[in-house]
Amino acid sequence: MRKVISIIQIICILTVFSAGSVFSAVAEKTRRLNQEALVLLQKGKLIESILLWEQIPKSERTAEISNNIGYAYYKRSRQYFDGKYGIHSYLNEDYVKAKMSFIDSEKMDPKRWSVYLNHGDLDFYFGLLDGAKKNYEKLLKLNPNYKYSEKIITTIKLIERETRLASKNDFEPFIVEIHPSLPLYIFRIYRNPEHIDVLKDNDTSVIQSLIAEQDIEESNILLSADINFDGYMDVAILEFTGSGHNYGYCYWLFNKNSGEFEQTVNDKTELNHEIVSPYIDYVGKKLSTSWSGSDHQSTSYYNYKGGKFVNTENINIHYLRNIDGDKYRKIIKTNVNGKMKVISDKIFDDPDEAFSNTQKKSNK
């Protein structure tokens, strides 16, 4: 009987030891992946760091890891701009993943002040002022001695002021950091009459008014993006809308010398009207634009050279309706010595093959 008990005890000990070894191995792998991802993040390799973090199962993620993942997705969301969705943050994949990661981190460790800083920055960047304010307030409550607390307090007061005035004067506030060295810029979007007043930080005087030609009820009437890659945020005002996410904008580029925005001239910059629903790749300094109709889809690519956008490639796909089955004609043009030249003209039976390589989004 004693031998049987001893054998059972040995089996139990071995089972516990085995389970402990497995747990230890999983924990070590999680720790290693997190450290390797952090190193890549510090080197600016966002895609690579995210791929490593995504290897960690959600059940194994700590508050720190979830915060790190959220921060990486937030940083990646700032590497490109998608004019199809604009400030529709709930349609931005990186925004959603960042926000969910921050929420997970907050649930696991409600006293981790850094997650509220990152969460606040995310909401502020996407124009969600109420969310930014709440997260910044939690940050200061947990860490009142945060080294940039003065800047955070100023931002909170600015949000409170604009929110209060907006309720009385029927405008929608939008606050943008044009450049870290400059005061925050405030855009007051009025619906009657339709215009946008521009102010600086705590200065209550209007420095400029921008005209909105499109119905200002559109939620992405105003977008902020560094359109000409000079390190300063510019703005785009919605000019027309069409089916299939076809959004046309009037572009206003920031002039760092005057501190104001200058409307682009079409024949000089090739921005207005031609660039619809822009997709901007800040890393590669490239811009693409796409539009679609009932029988076609077109995508154009631009490089920024010599102070202007140069059209480098156009891809047009025409739908050929046929009772025997639809076909797709794909025409590719490229810039040869300043002129667009057809380099490929093919017909495809398979839509996946026809539409491949029509969206060159380096960070997606």
Side-chain angles (χ1 to χ4, degrees):
M1 184 67 178
R2 289 182 178 178
K3 288 184 178 180
V4 173
I5 294 174
S6 298
I7 292 172
I8 293 174
Q9 289 175 335
I10 291 172
I11 292 173
C12 290
I13 292 171
L14 290 174
T15 302
V16 172
F17 178 78
S18 177
S21 298
V22 172
F23 177 79
S24 178
V26 171
E28 174 58 26
K29 182 180 179 181
T30 298
R31 186 199 65 79
R32 177 178 56 80
L33 287 172
N34 184 48
Q35 290 301 315
E36 290 177 0
L38 281 172
V39 171
L40 290 172
L41 180 66
Q42 291 169 356
K43 292 180 179 179
K45 297 182 178 181
L46 287 174
I47 305 297
E48 294 86 346
S49 67
I50 288 173
L51 289 175
L52 280 184
W53 270 314
E54 289 293 357
Q55 291 181 35
I56 303 175
K58 287 190 175 182
S59 59
E60 301 297 329
R61 295 177 187 176
T62 62
E64 176 193 354
I65 291 174
S66 292
N67 187 26
N68 291 341
I69 295 174
Y71 180 75
Y73 275 117
Y74 161 58
K75 294 292 287 185
R76 193 173 79 158
S77 73
R78 298 192 60 147
Q79 286 193 341
Y80 66 90
F81 170 86
D82 197 334
K84 284 186 178 180
Y85 303 134
I87 58 174
H88 293 181
S89 53
Y90 57 88
L91 293 176
N92 184 296
E93 182 181 350
D94 288 328
Y95 168 85
V96 173
K97 289 183 176 180
K99 194 168 191 68
M100 295 308 297
S101 295
F102 290 145
I103 291 173
D104 288 342
S105 180
E106 291 162 11
K107 288 179 180 178
M108 287 184 277
D109 185 2
K111 294 185 178 181
R112 179 175 291 272
W113 64 266
S114 60
V115 71
Y116 297 108
L117 169 64
N118 295 333
H119 198 166
D121 287 346
L122 174 74
D123 282 346
F124 184 81
Y125 180 72
F126 280 93
L128 304 173
L129 300 183
D130 186 55
K133 176 178 175 291
K134 289 178 180 178
N135 281 298
Y136 286 151
E137 287 174 338
K138 290 178 181 178
L139 155 68
L140 294 178
K141 184 177 180 180
L142 292 170
N143 186 7
N145 297 319
Y146 173 60
K147 61 179 179 179
Y148 298 117
S149 60
E150 186 175 335
K151 181 179 179 181
I152 296 294
I153 292 171
T154 299
T155 302
I156 291 174
K157 289 181 178 179
L158 199 58
I159 293 173
E160 289 175 339
R161 186 195 76 184
E162 290 303 302
T163 302
R164 183 177 65 256
L165 292 175
S167 63
K168 297 179 180 179
N169 297 282
D170 192 28
F171 67 80
E172 180 182 353
F174 193 58
I175 304 175
V176 179
E177 183 181 73
I178 301 298
H179 190 273
S181 65
L182 297 176
L184 294 173
Y185 273 66
I186 303 158
F187 298 84
R188 293 177 176 175
I189 306 173
Y190 289 89
R191 290 174 171 78
N192 187 25
E194 296 174 350
H195 69 285
I196 300 170
D197 284 345
V198 184
L199 301 85
K200 283 184 185 179
D201 211 3
N202 291 319
D203 190 349
T204 56
S205 59
V206 176
I207 62 171
Q208 189 176 9
S209 286
L210 311 179
I211 304 301
E213 297 184 17
Q214 175 71 18
D215 182 358
I216 212 146
E217 291 296 330
E218 291 285 348
S219 58
N220 59 342
I221 181 71
L222 179 71
L223 307 176
S224 60
D226 183 7
I227 298 166
N228 58 351
F229 308 110
D230 65 351
Y232 293 81
M233 296 293 276
D234 309 298
V235 297
I237 300 177
L238 190 65
E239 194 168 63
F240 67 84
T241 59
S243 60
H245 290 299
N246 294 328
Y247 294 130
Y249 296 94
C250 177
Y251 298 90
W252 295 72
L253 304 183
F254 182 76
N255 185 322
K256 61 182 178 181
N257 295 319
S258 66
E260 296 185 3
F261 297 87
E262 298 178 353
Q263 186 173 1
T264 59
V265 180
N266 191 37
D267 59 355
K268 286 185 178 181
T269 62
E270 299 184 15
L271 279 175
N272 292 331
H273 306 294
E274 291 186 26
I275 296 183
V276 179
S277 302
Y279 180 92
I280 302 173
D281 171 13
Y282 292 128
V283 177
K285 291 190 175 181
K286 294 181 179 180
L287 180 149
S288 65
T289 175
S290 62
W291 61 98
S292 60
S294 60
D295 61 352
H296 73 282
Q297 177 176 306
S298 300
T299 304
S300 296
Y301 301 95
Y302 297 80
N303 284 343
Y304 190 72
K305 295 180 180 179
K308 65 180 294 185
F309 283 99
V310 178
N311 188 193
T312 57
E313 185 180 43
N314 296 328
I315 300 177
N316 299 306
I317 298 176
H318 300 272
Y319 312 147
L320 307 177
R321 310 299 184 188
N322 194 298
I323 57 174
D324 297 326
D326 294 342
K327 295 182 182 296
Y328 305 86
R329 183 184 180 187
K330 184 175 184 178
I331 303 172
I332 301 177
K333 295 181 180 180
T334 189
N335 190 319
V336 179
N337 298 324
K339 294 183 178 180
M340 302 307 293
K341 180 180 179 181
V342 176
I343 62 169
S344 177
D345 188 343
K346 298 180 181 179
I347 294 179
F348 297 88
D349 295 321
D350 184 358
D352 291 335
E353 189 176 359
F355 284 95
S356 65
N357 299 322
T358 59
Q359 290 296 324
K360 300 178 181 177
K361 299 183 178 181
S362 65
N363 292 313
K364 299 298 283 181

